[in-house]
Amino acid sequence: MTVSCFKIYVACQSMLIVLVGAVPDYHIDQEGIPASRAELAKRIHFADNFTSIVTEWYLIEQEAYKVSLASSLFFAGLLIGNITFGPLSDKLGRKPVYISGSLTNLTFAVGIAVYALLGYCVREWRYLALVSNTPGIFFLLLSFMLPESPRWLYSQGKMAEAEDVLQYIALGNGKERLNLKLKPSTGALRKDESAPGILNLVKHPVLRWRTIILMYIWYACSFVYYGLTLNAGELRGNLYLNVALSGLVEVPAFPLCMFFIEKSWSGRRKTMTCFLVFAGLACIFTMVLPANAGLLLSPTLLALCGKMMVSAAFNIVYIYTSELYPTVLRNAGLGVCSMSCRFGGILAPFVPSMKSLSPSVPFVVFGISGLSAGFLTLLLPETLNKPIAESIEDVQSPKYQVLKNEEAEQTG
């Protein structure tokens, strides 16, 4: 529950610039662009339905890039945090640096809608930023009450602490106190041993090829997802309604992708390919719509459909990537892919500004990215009902995989 609520807060932070940096309707007296900001301040007239950093510092025309830059710097901060706190979590534990699973992405979508509601109620951008950021103090204090990951404690040889956490979880679930005693793992690394390093992702041909493809897929998912999310403020219609819908449209994406990835006729690879391709097509089709298209064929509706599809793909890629890497390299593989994901977020805020070339250009850029990532997914193997490799040798040995498949069929 705490982690889910924290996701709502994170969603507000990710979406902050959409409303704080929104551009209200305005007009400039006389023709031409003013030579100085002081002259611009005298000649420009903004609509007074809300304030933003744009109205505060006149971030229009040549200064408009600063709004996109502010959003890009946010994702650059996430990249730095990913590099810094990812390895730190393996040393200090999961609780101090906070990690969450793909299930909490559902509450992230709800958080976007909550932020839209906040923006509708609080129209002055400083107060909106204050209201959106203040809960962070509460969650920081609350995080100290969370128990440590029992799996991490177990991997570190802290059996007694892991047992205490498991007892705490059992009692929280309404179970009676268990007579629990963990045995030391025979496969755990000794203190004088080290896990395979990140360079193994490059040294071995199979893993190198998978890593390159997955890095691009993660990048494209992030690029299209955050691009369409941040572009919600650029769509026609009510600003706050568009932002809320861009979050709520993700809610059905999670059960939808969970349904398809467990079916033998679709699996992980085909499902993710279809979602990415459909997201790309939804974006590209916006350029062929007539100007007087009705509600059912409006660019806003297609953008929301694309957002739902890429959101589903984003959920699947976490599971799919975990199954494509052997156990000894899973953390390293997910870390590298997660870093490439942040580069997509860094570039995404600048794409909506390309509408100055043509209103359909941002959607074409997102569409091409989604299509290319979808087709590249077909080059990866299916992992549904397949044994997960434990070591690097397992990935490279076809004979091992055949034996494991036969064993899985016999036990199944």
Side-chain angles (χ1 to χ4, degrees):
M1 181 63 182
T2 302
V3 173
S4 297
C5 292
F6 185 76
K7 267 292 187 178
I8 295 178
Y9 167 73
V10 173
C12 291
Q13 300 307 299
S14 301
M15 294 292 294
L16 189 66
I17 197 65
V18 176
L19 298 183
V20 169
V23 183
D25 293 332
Y26 68 89
H27 71 273
I28 302 175
D29 295 336
Q30 303 176 8
E31 295 182 358
I33 301 174
S36 65
R37 182 170 297 181
E39 184 182 353
L40 176 62
K42 296 178 182 179
R43 292 171 51 185
I44 193 171
H45 299 280
F46 288 107
D48 58 0
N49 55 335
F50 65 87
T51 66
S52 68
I53 59 175
V54 174
T55 63
E56 180 87 10
W57 294 297
Y58 309 105
L59 302 181
I60 61 172
E61 305 296 339
Q62 293 91 341
E63 300 291 317
Y65 76 92
K66 294 181 180 179
V67 179
S68 300
L69 180 60
S71 181
S72 183
L73 290 175
F74 171 82
F75 290 102
L78 293 181
L79 173 62
I80 296 172
N82 194 96
I83 297 173
T84 304
F85 293 104
L88 194 62
S89 67
D90 289 327
K91 296 181 180 180
L92 301 181
R94 268 57 176 176
K95 183 185 68 172
V97 293
Y98 172 75
I99 61 171
S100 62
S102 61
L103 181 61
T104 56
N105 290 341
L106 191 62
T107 53
F108 184 92
V110 175
I112 296 177
V114 170
Y115 178 65
L117 179 61
L118 285 177
Y120 179 79
C121 297
V122 184
R123 299 298 182 96
E124 209 286 321
W125 75 269
R126 281 190 172 85
Y127 293 142
L128 176 60
L130 179 64
V131 172
S132 301
N133 284 282
T134 301
I137 302 175
F138 168 76
F139 286 113
L140 177 63
L141 298 175
L142 194 62
S143 65
F144 291 102
M145 300 173 60
L146 292 174
E148 184 53 271
S149 165
R151 183 171 184 176
W152 179 83
L153 292 171
Y154 180 72
S155 69
Q156 299 296 309
K158 301 179 180 180
M159 304 300 172
E161 295 180 41
E163 292 168 3
D164 291 340
V165 174
L166 290 173
Q167 291 285 6
Y168 171 82
I169 295 174
L171 292 174
N173 291 331
K175 306 292 184 181
E176 296 181 358
R177 188 169 183 83
L178 304 175
N179 184 17
L180 183 65
K181 188 66 177 178
L182 296 175
K183 296 181 179 180
S185 176
T186 56
L189 293 173
R190 298 192 306 268
K191 291 185 178 180
D192 59 341
E193 293 179 333
S194 59
I198 197 172
L199 290 178
N200 285 280
L201 299 176
V202 181
K203 288 168 53 179
H204 301 275
V206 175
L207 292 175
R208 180 170 62 244
W209 181 240
R210 289 185 185 180
T211 300
I212 292 173
I213 295 176
L214 286 171
M215 285 179 66
Y216 180 77
I217 293 173
W218 278 69
Y219 159 82
C221 284
S222 176
F223 181 68
V224 178
Y225 175 86
Y226 287 110
L228 291 177
T229 301
L230 298 175
N231 193 59
E234 306 289 338
L235 298 174
R236 292 182 179 179
N238 186 279
L239 170 64
Y240 305 99
L241 180 61
N242 289 339
V243 173
L245 289 177
S246 72
L248 294 177
V249 76
E250 296 182 44
V251 174
F254 182 80
L256 196 63
C257 68
M258 290 296 103
F259 172 79
F260 284 108
I261 64 174
E262 295 298 331
K263 301 299 180 182
S264 59
W265 45 268
S266 54
R268 275 74 158 143
R269 183 181 63 174
K270 292 180 181 178
T271 302
M272 195 164 77
T273 296
C274 290
F275 279 132
L276 285 171
V277 169
F278 288 156
L281 290 176
C283 292
I284 290 179
F285 281 161
T286 59
M287 66 180 298
V288 299
L289 292 177
N292 58 348
L295 178 62
L296 294 178
L297 291 176
S298 66
T300 300
L301 182 62
L302 284 178
L304 291 175
C305 290
K307 176 72 183 303
M308 181 178 69
M309 296 298 173
V310 76
S311 177
F314 220 157
N315 278 312
I316 297 172
V317 77
Y318 282 91
I319 301 172
Y320 194 29
T321 302
S322 298
E323 296 174 345
L324 284 171
Y325 283 110
T327 301
V328 294
L329 281 175
R330 188 162 297 123
N331 286 342
L334 284 170
V336 169
C337 291
S338 182
M339 283 189 288
S340 65
C341 165
R342 299 308 173 196
F343 285 106
I346 291 172
L347 295 177
F350 291 99
V351 178
S353 62
M354 298 174 67
K355 67 176 183 178
S356 59
L357 302 175
S358 173
S360 62
V361 170
F363 291 108
V364 173
V365 174
F366 295 139
I368 293 174
S369 300
L371 288 173
S372 58
F375 290 128
L376 279 176
T377 304
L378 294 174
L379 300 178
L380 297 172
E382 179 57 68
T383 59
L384 177 64
N385 297 327
K386 300 292 178 64
I388 298 177
E390 299 292 336
S391 64
I392 299 175
E393 290 73 20
D394 295 344
V395 176
Q396 297 181 311
S397 174
K399 181 179 179 181
Y400 172 85
Q401 292 297 336
V402 172
L403 292 175
K404 292 292 286 185
N405 286 335
E406 292 177 352
E407 180 182 345
E409 291 176 359
Q410 293 174 0
T411 57

